[in-house]
Amino acid sequence: LGGDKRGITAMKRLEDAGFAVESRGLFPGDDGDIEKADIIILPIPSTKDGRTVFCPLTNEIIPLDRVKNAAKGRFVITANYDFGENFTDILKLDGFAFLNAVPTAEGAIAYAVSNTPFTLWKSKILIIGNGRVARVLKDRLSGFGCHLTVSARKFKDFALLDTQNTKYIDTADVSGKAGGFDIIFNTVDAPLFPSPEVLKNALLIDLSSRGCIDFEAAKEKGINAVKLPAIPGRTAPETAGDIYAETLISVICLGERT
């Protein structure tokens, strides 16, 4: 049901693997019947408004309540959505999260390269967070010759970064030190910048789910801040679709569950 371009790739891969697949809200005019399905796959993310299925390619309106009523007794695969019962949220699977971090990080770097008047080489860059996406970002950015700093909260993360000879700061201090960076990549789901002005001339690229700043307020103050949701589906839909399909097959055939 619904989804972006990676859903198209995933559908083809599932068909190649021998599954009988129908869709609704993925292609204009598609009319897959929910009540004939053994398994229902909601998109990434499953919903943007909490009421309807995310259908960016067709803008079809598929109410989640309608899906829930039709899905009784069927297994449902979601993404960042609690379906209530008999479901798995693939965004909570470590395997998917690790693999999906690659197109997320590379898409963010591509945006930075295309939207700055300077090279990443010698740029002062801050990565907020030290999770999966942040670690891939650090790995990829290290090859650009930039001056890289990573923020973290725990002593074990500081110790690991120290062994990697990576400069670090405490995430609690990023607001006060943000003005010293050219580009900031955020991966943390927390309000980190109560005063957007602290960003000064930095480009903020937010990869978190809920965002780290009031983007409307930032825009009003002329702050260069952008939120990049679902970036793998836009910048690398084929690779992201392959990762999506691999995860779906693992969930369906191998019983991988959250």
Side-chain angles (χ1 to χ4, degrees), residues 172-196:
D173 298 329
V174 298
S175 183
K177 297 182 178 180
F181 296 96
D182 301 307
I183 303 172
I184 299 173
F185 295 93
N186 176 57
T187 67
V188 174
D189 252 337
L192 301 173
F193 302 104
S195 299

Side-chain angles (χ1 to χ4, degrees), residues 17-151:
F19 293 94
V21 189
E22 292 185 357
S23 68
R24 187 177 188 93
L26 183 60
F27 303 95
D30 59 358
D31 58 355
D33 189 343
I34 298 175
E35 296 185 356
K36 290 183 179 179
D38 298 304
I39 297 169
I40 296 170
I41 302 172
L42 295 177
I44 306 173
S46 294
T47 181
K48 283 291 191 74
D49 59 12
R51 301 186 308 274
T52 60
V53 176
F54 181 50
C55 298
L57 299 183
T58 63
N59 292 320
E60 182 169 352
I61 298 175
I62 305 176
L64 284 167
D65 286 343
R66 176 183 165 195
V67 178
K68 287 182 178 181
N69 289 334
K72 291 179 180 178
R74 296 176 171 85
F75 179 56
V76 181
I77 300 174
T78 72
N80 199 29
Y81 183 69
D82 185 338
F83 201 74
E85 59 181 354
N86 200 27
F87 81 102
T88 283
D89 185 338
I90 66 168
L91 294 190
K92 293 183 179 179
L93 299 176
D94 285 339
F96 178 78
F98 279 119
L99 291 172
N100 202 52
V102 175
T104 299
E106 292 190 2
I109 292 171
Y111 183 91
V113 170
S114 301
N115 290 274
T116 49
F118 47 82
T119 62
L120 295 186
W121 174 59
K122 290 192 175 182
S123 295
K124 291 174 287 186
I125 296 178
L126 171 65
I127 300 172
I128 302 176
N130 194 39
R132 302 178 186 98
V133 173
R135 290 173 187 175
V136 177
L137 271 171
K138 174 180 169 294
D139 176 73
R140 298 298 192 268
L141 287 168
S142 295
F144 281 90
C146 52
H147 301 296
L148 193 60
T149 301
V150 176
S151 89

Side-chain angles (χ1 to χ4, degrees), residues 145-236:
C146 52
H147 301 296
L148 193 60
T149 301
V150 176
S151 89
R153 296 182 298 108
K154 299 178 181 178
F155 174 74
K156 67 175 183 179
D157 291 324
F158 297 148
L160 177 61
L161 291 165
D162 206 12
T163 64
Q164 298 168 341
N165 200 31
T166 299
K167 186 176 180 181
Y168 60 85
I169 61 175
D170 194 305
T171 300
D173 298 329
V174 298
S175 183
K177 297 182 178 180
F181 296 96
D182 301 307
I183 303 172
I184 299 173
F185 295 93
N186 176 57
T187 67
V188 174
D189 252 337
L192 301 173
F193 302 104
S195 299
E197 294 93 335
V198 300
L199 291 168
K200 297 182 180 178
N201 296 319
L203 166 63
L204 171 66
I205 299 175
D206 196 306
L207 303 172
S208 67
S209 297
R210 294 190 293 272
C212 67
I213 194 172
D214 183 335
F215 286 94
E216 286 299 320
K219 184 178 180 181
E220 289 175 3
K221 296 179 182 299
I223 302 300
N224 195 3
V226 62
K227 195 172 188 311
L228 297 181
I231 193 170
R234 290 186 284 140
T235 61

